[in-house]
Amino acid sequence: MTIAERQAEIIDEFEMFDDWMDKYEHIIELGKDLPLIDAAYKDEDHKIRGCQSQVWLHAAPEGDKLRFTADSDAIITKGLISLMVRVLDDQPAAEIANTELSFIEKIGLHEHLSPTRSNGLRSMVKQMKLYGIAQAAQQNAQANG
Amino acid sequence: MQNTAAKTFPIERIRADFPLLQTEMNGKPLVFLDSAASSQKPQQVLDAIEQYYENDNANVHRGVYALSQRATDAFEAARKTMAAYINAPDEHEVIWVRGCTEGINLIASTYGQRFKTGDEIIVSHMEHHSNIVPWQMLCERSGAILKVIPVLDNGELDMVAYKELLNERTVFVSVVHVSNALGTVNPVVDICNMAHEVGAVVLIDGAQATPHGKVDVQAIGCDFYTFSGHKMCGPTGQGILWGKRELLESMPPYHGGGEMIDKVSFEGTTYNVIPFKFEAGTPNMAGAIGLASAADYMTSLDLDAIEQYEAELLAYATGEMTKIEGLKVIGTAPEKHSVLSFLVEGMHPYDLGTLLDKQGVAVRTGHHCCQPLMERFGIPGTVRASFAFYNTREDVDRLVAATTRAVKMLS
């Protein structure tokens, strides 16, 4: 599935929830199910500091793609992270770099990306894209070199 | 004890004065429990500001025309009102600042110029960042040393340790009157007396004290006192720094500009008298008038009655919230003002706060600009419900119900 297809799938999935409670119940479940980041990467180097909650993010190249694992100390943040990972993990670096992530807004959870929340999520999205940009640039350099 | 102040306190009339309290958040009637961050404003204050701009607006202290005189009179009357609010002996000792943060920075930047290498400044472990960082910056510039009064497990200051910290090198003590994160009311009279015994000067940060009851700077015995207007029903961007006349007069100016000067020439400039020496530039006239109106509003409700009403509300909230399994109150000092900081075992404050928001309950989560204090308690932060005199037992019941539901979802 492409990034766009994965986003569409999540939007569909959230359409069945009418009220905020069911939506958050689902996010909390996703948070609980998120495969944990390897303990070795849950360190200061991989920490994305938020004011409210902390996020750890690890990226590893696999061919032309990037693999992401992540974690957070807050379960709602973790649930939202799991959605980000679901969309961007195992996708071509160049596409990660250039993609527009619209699904968070479409499922009505845009407030969690607001700078006032300061939960680390906004910085995490930025960081994932930066990994994409760096990896894509490296691949280009290798292809041209 | 049950409901004694609540019976006579005109809570319904008071709530009707606050337009924002009539609104909804996330489709639910708003329960506003974040007044320690910033309080809501009554219509009287909003009207005072509007009335100033509609009828009295002109720059102060400069015009020869009647309108400017009226603006100046209103502005200086506001200063007098604020002097009375904290029982300052002389309104010329009352300086308009943007807020508590600016008040502290002003003192660190001006009074602090006399500090030298080896001088000791004392703050406490429960200070807001705004009463830590300006002193750290001053220490970097001057070579002075910052000492910290420890906090006990219940959120009280360790006064024994404080006594041991005081010595002949102590030049300054800057301590919070009421903790924004814990609600602890500190023994400011003792803090001042003990500091004065070694010849140190004391600044009290009153940001969380002036919204909740009577403050009397003469009874406290401090040398400087500062607070923010927006936490006590006033507009944002206006606060007060009070200082003893002889100290203010001995201090160099803070910002340079208009108003703060006596005579300007390229050979040398002389400065205005207090308080104007510290008020460079056009002041926040509407802010001053709005703040004075807030002080009038609160005084009209009787500050002792406010204190009593809020104490009963906090006791009720503490009793009800601690019935929730796993809930732990952070800050259990016997003397507290209107703050209920808590954690629920195994749950992150951010998760709890998010789920409370969805149920129309506005609380604050995080470290409350007190990272050293959170570190002291070994926690990432707390959920903080903070009350004002316009909150009710129904607000508390909504908080309890919303927290119970959130805890169930997160379990």
Side-chain angles (χ1 to χ4, degrees), chain B residues 11 46 55 69 144 159 161 199 218 229 289 310 326 372 382 406 409:
Chain B
I11 185 68
L46 305 177
N55 300 303
Q69 188 55 51
M159 292 295 283
Q218 296 185 70
I289 284 153
E310 288 186 18
T382 71
M409 285 176 73

Coordinates of all heavy atoms in Angstrom, one line a residue, chain B residues 11 46 55 69 144 159 161 199 218 229 289 310 326 372 382 406 409:
Chain B
I11 N -22.5 33.2 44.9 CA -21.9 32.5 43.8 C -22.6 32.6 42.5 O -22.0 32.8 41.4 CB -21.5 31.0 44.2 CG1 -20.7 30.3 43.1 CG2 -22.8 30.2 44.5 CD1 -19.3 30.9 42.9
L46 N -14.1 44.1 31.9 CA -14.1 44.3 30.4 C -14.7 45.7 30.1 O -14.3 46.4 29.2 CB -15.0 43.2 29.7 CG -14.5 41.7 30.0 CD1 -15.5 40.7 29.4 CD2 -13.1 41.5 29.6
N55 N -13.8 56.6 26.2 CA -14.0 58.0 26.7 C -12.8 58.7 27.2 O -12.8 59.9 27.3 CB -15.0 57.9 27.9 CG -16.4 57.3 27.4 OD1 -17.0 57.9 26.5 ND2 -16.8 56.2 28.0
Q69 N -5.4 64.8 30.8 CA -5.4 65.0 32.3 C -6.3 63.9 32.9 O -6.0 63.3 33.9 CB -5.9 66.4 32.7 CG -5.8 66.7 34.2 CD -4.4 66.5 34.7 OE1 -3.4 67.0 34.1 NE2 -4.2 65.7 35.8
A144 N 27.8 35.9 41.8 CA 27.0 35.5 43.0 C 26.6 34.0 42.9 O 26.7 33.4 41.8 CB 25.8 36.3 43.2
M159 N 12.1 24.7 56.5 CA 12.6 25.9 57.2 C 13.8 25.7 58.0 O 14.5 26.7 58.3 CB 11.4 26.5 58.0 CG 10.2 26.9 57.2 SD 10.6 28.4 56.2 CE 10.6 29.7 57.4
A161 N 16.3 23.9 57.1 CA 17.4 24.0 56.1 C 17.6 25.5 55.6 O 18.7 25.9 55.4 CB 17.1 23.1 54.8
G199 N 20.6 40.5 57.4 CA 20.8 41.6 56.6 C 20.4 41.4 55.1 O 20.8 42.3 54.3
Q218 N 3.0 45.1 54.4 CA 3.6 45.6 55.6 C 3.6 44.5 56.7 O 4.5 44.4 57.4 CB 2.8 46.9 56.1 CG 3.0 48.0 55.1 CD 2.4 49.3 55.6 OE1 2.9 49.9 56.5 NE2 1.3 49.7 55.0
G229 N -1.5 40.7 37.1 CA -3.0 41.1 37.1 C -3.9 40.0 36.5 O -5.0 39.8 37.0
I289 N -5.9 50.4 34.3 CA -7.3 50.7 34.7 C -8.1 49.4 34.8 O -8.9 49.3 35.7 CB -7.9 51.7 33.7 CG1 -7.4 53.1 34.0 CG2 -9.4 51.7 33.7 CD1 -7.3 54.0 32.9
E310 N -13.1 29.5 49.0 CA -12.1 28.7 48.2 C -11.5 27.6 49.1 O -11.3 26.5 48.6 CB -11.0 29.6 47.6 CG -11.5 30.5 46.5 CD -10.3 31.2 45.8 OE1 -9.2 30.8 46.0 OE2 -10.6 32.2 45.1
G326 N -6.1 4.9 43.3 CA -4.8 5.2 42.7 C -4.4 6.7 42.6 O -3.4 7.0 42.1
P372 N 12.4 21.9 38.2 CA 13.2 21.4 39.4 C 12.3 20.7 40.5 O 12.7 19.7 41.1 CB 13.9 22.6 39.9 CG 14.0 23.5 38.7 CD 12.8 23.3 38.0
T382 N 2.2 16.9 36.7 CA 1.0 16.5 37.4 C -0.2 17.0 36.5 O 0.0 17.7 35.5 CB 0.9 17.2 38.7 OG1 0.6 18.6 38.6 CG2 2.1 17.0 39.6
A406 N -12.0 9.0 32.8 CA -10.7 8.9 32.1 C -9.9 7.8 32.7 O -9.2 7.1 31.9 CB -10.0 10.3 32.3
M409 N -11.0 4.6 31.3 CA -10.6 4.4 29.9 C -9.1 4.0 29.8 O -8.7 3.3 28.9 CB -10.8 5.7 29.1 CG -12.3 5.9 28.7 SD -12.5 7.5 27.9 CE -11.8 7.1 26.3

